Amino acid sequence: MNSIDAERIGFRPVTPDDYPLLESWLDSPHWREWWGEPATELGYIRDMVEGRDTTRPFLFLLDGAPAGYIQAWTIADQLKEPWLSEAPWMTEVPADSVGVDISIGAATQLSRGLGSTVVRLFAERLRAKGHATILIDPSVTNLRAIRAYEKAGFRKWIVSRESSGQGETLIMKFAPDGATDESRVPG
């Protein structure tokens, strides 16, 4: 597995001009496996960009070119339907926690260290802005993502036993020092 130099990574907010690119990514097999219907997901992103959702959507850049998507959302803002039915684990974490979601744009960039570098840098920026609890919530079957998140400094914290569209969910907490303040899942 390659390592990506952090200086090659940048972030910028999603704009309406990015919708065609995001739509093409959302329709690709490695996105369809973990994200919902492309038109629905793009609708959620439009809501974010246009201010109807507090989630903050970004493109991450590799050498200045769009390479993937990352978003940050506050648990407190999502403690309502339909999100609670889909992710009941949100009631088990501090309401001021920030959730992160990420996807690599092109399948050719998978398993090269890009995702772990990006999510680590993004989490470090969130922490620098004062966010104490930063979470990511892969499906327990998404082993590639779990390995990348562990490499980035996220630690296993909670397994949500409730079924959602993806089955069990692993809640991972950003703890680059290797410790979480509450150990619920054997590491």
Side-chain angles (χ1 to χ4, degrees):
M1 189 176 307
N2 299 330
S3 178
I4 303 291
D5 184 8
E7 274 103 44
R8 297 176 61 198
I9 305 298
F11 300 94
R12 71 167 176 76
V14 170
T15 70
D17 291 340
D18 298 317
Y19 296 160
L21 175 62
L22 288 165
E23 186 173 32
S24 71
W25 285 346
L26 283 160
D27 201 33
S28 62
H30 71 285
W31 281 60
R32 297 283 306 251
E33 186 174 3
W34 305 110
W35 290 73
E37 188 62 34
T40 301
E41 295 293 339
L42 188 57
Y44 293 146
I45 294 169
R46 279 191 174 109
D47 286 347
M48 296 170 205
V49 170
E50 296 169 12
R52 291 183 296 276
D53 184 316
T54 60
T55 302
R56 297 179 319 259
F58 298 88
L59 290 184
F60 60 85
L61 313 173
L62 177 63
D63 299 325
Y69 175 79
I70 194 164
Q71 64 186 25
W73 50 282
T74 304
I75 297 291
D77 293 344
Q78 305 303 324
L79 293 175
K80 58 189 174 192
E81 294 302 333
W83 311 118
L84 279 175
S85 293
E86 294 179 16
W89 60 265
M90 291 190 299
T91 62
E92 300 177 44
V93 301
D96 64 348
S97 299
V98 174
V100 175
D101 299 299
I102 179 175
S103 281
I104 304 293
T108 57
Q109 292 292 330
L110 294 172
S111 299
R112 294 180 172 216
L114 179 60
S116 57
T117 300
V118 167
V119 78
R120 178 182 51 80
L121 291 172
F122 197 73
E124 287 171 352
R125 288 176 181 210
L126 290 169
R127 181 161 285 164
K129 290 182 178 185
H131 298 288
T133 306
I134 302 159
L135 307 173
I136 201 156
D137 60 332
S139 166
V140 295
T141 61
N142 192 345
L143 301 179
R144 177 189 303 149
I146 292 168
R147 284 190 301 271
Y149 304 152
E150 287 174 332
K151 184 178 172 186
F154 285 81
R155 303 293 171 245
K156 296 174 183 175
W157 194 32
I158 302 169
V159 173
S160 176
R161 303 285 177 203
E162 298 88 0
S163 286
S164 65
Q166 296 179 353
E168 287 185 330
T169 300
L170 175 62
I171 312 311
M172 302 177 77
K173 182 177 179 180
F174 186 60
D177 60 1
T180 58
D181 56 77
E182 185 174 345
S183 201
R184 297 186 186 188
V185 178

